[in-house]
Amino acid sequence: QVQLIESGGGLVQAGGSLRLSCVASGPIFVTDAMGWFRQIPGKERERVAAIRGGANPIYADSVKGRFTISRDSAKNTVYLQMNSLKPEDTAVYYCATGSSVYNFGSWGHGTQVTVSS
């Protein structure tokens, strides 16, 4: 019974930055994977970034060099620093956790990110 709460979304102009936060409560382990996904209406959910054990982060090609995922295991919190935002980054962003970067089973309710041009 894991609860995930995202925050930090909002409206930003192209080229700007946002930092998303996700706080997890309930029984999770430091070795569990945490990640960020996004979904645009009419498109499939996309894995943006994921990390397990605080190392070896994985990024979608579309965000490499612009987004950074980090984790504070002591606080059960994961962050997504988003720089050089583009209009195509507009989406609902979801935090998730699971046993691996391929098996996410718990999801937050999402936070809207809108990038204007």
Side-chain angles (χ1 to χ4, degrees), residues 41-96:
K43 297 183 179 180
E44 293 185 328
R45 184 177 60 196
E46 174 189 24
R47 188 182 69 188
V48 176
I51 191 168
R52 190 181 72 176
N56 300 318
I58 299 172
Y59 299 96
D61 288 341
S62 59
V63 306
K64 285 183 178 179
R66 299 189 297 119
F67 291 11
T68 302
I69 187 171
S70 60
R71 181 178 182 177
D72 185 340
S73 295
K75 297 182 178 180
N76 287 338
T77 302
V78 64
Y79 306 93
L80 185 67
Q81 178 67 45
M82 305 185 294
N83 298 326
S84 301
L85 284 162
K86 304 175 180 180
E88 50 263 46
D89 294 319
T90 296
V92 177
Y93 284 72
Y94 298 90
C95 177

Side-chain angles (χ1 to χ4, degrees), residues 6-11 18-21 82 111-113:
E6 306 98 332
S7 63
L11 175 64
L18 286 173
R19 190 189 193 196
L20 305 183
S21 298
M82 305 185 294
T111 184
Q112 177 70 47
V113 172

